[in-house]
Amino acid sequence: MMVLGSLNPDIFAFVYNDFLCRTLERAKTMTMPNGRGVRSAPNSIRHLIPGFWKQFDFPDIVAALAPRPVICTEGGLDRDFQLISAAYRMAGAPDHFQYHHQPRFADPAQRWHGSQLPAGLDRDAFFRFANVDPRNHFFKKDLVIPWLKTLLDKSDNKN
């Protein structure tokens, strides 16, 4: 949907209901095999657009949606949110990008703030470094519904 959103200007707004990460970095760092010797497959769009994941990370694609409204609801690394926020400032719409961390990482002191993930991570370690609590993954209607209502109200007032 991110790619479709960046290609189709008719898509008015985007809800990113997952944690945000750099997919290429995830593939390079999440290399520790589990107890069965299997390496976790990182999430990416390589099954949809071959080779695309090697050129564009998810934060790049979200930044390309600027100035259209985007909300990220499940956290990630602050460095990636800063990249997207900068794109929205450059597009003249800094208030069109909103992001939220999961409760476990809402306090900045609880988040990892490094610039580059270490190599050799297993899935659990990757999630800790990425500031994500997989057990807290669900649709964040308490964030999304009011956000969408505000956007629709503003849209109605323009017409």
Side-chain angles (χ1 to χ4, degrees):
M1 293 307 298
M2 288 180 287
V3 174
L4 182 60
S6 65
L7 296 174
N8 185 347
D10 292 334
I11 294 177
F12 175 74
F14 188 84
V15 174
Y16 194 109
N17 191 68
D18 203 351
F19 75 97
L20 185 70
C21 75
R22 297 178 185 182
T23 52
L24 187 54
E25 179 182 49
R26 185 175 181 180
K28 288 179 178 179
T29 62
M30 207 169 75
T31 58
M32 177 70 69
N34 65 16
R36 295 179 295 134
V38 177
R39 179 181 165 204
S40 295
N43 188 21
S44 76
I45 58 172
R46 62 179 145 201
H47 61 289
L48 300 174
I49 306 172
F52 192 83
W53 72 287
K54 294 179 182 178
Q55 303 298 320
F56 302 97
D57 276 330
F58 287 1
D60 300 324
I61 300 168
V62 174
L65 294 168
R68 289 175 285 168
V70 170
I71 186 172
C72 294
T73 62
E74 296 215 317
L77 291 169
D78 290 329
R79 61 154 199 213
D80 297 331
F81 291 126
Q82 291 165 4
L83 175 124
I84 297 167
S85 294
Y88 274 79
R89 282 192 305 277
M90 286 188 272
D95 58 329
H96 284 195
F97 177 61
Q98 190 178 120
Y99 64 93
H100 302 271
H101 288 279
Q102 294 173 325
R104 179 176 166 192
F105 298 102
D107 179 353
Q110 299 302 314
R111 296 195 294 268
W112 185 74
H113 295 281
S115 61
Q116 186 174 354
L117 291 160
L121 300 175
D122 64 11
R123 186 183 187 100
D124 292 337
F126 175 82
F127 286 143
R128 279 193 309 275
F129 276 102
N131 303 322
V132 66
D133 179 5
R135 291 179 305 241
N136 195 28
H137 175 59
F138 61 91
F139 181 67
K140 305 295 190 287
K141 67 181 179 186
D142 57 321
L143 298 172
V144 174
I145 301 301
W147 180 78
L148 286 172
K149 185 177 180 334
T150 299
L151 289 178
L152 293 172
D153 288 346
K154 286 180 185 176
S155 177
D156 284 346
N157 290 334
K158 288 182 181 179
N159 295 329

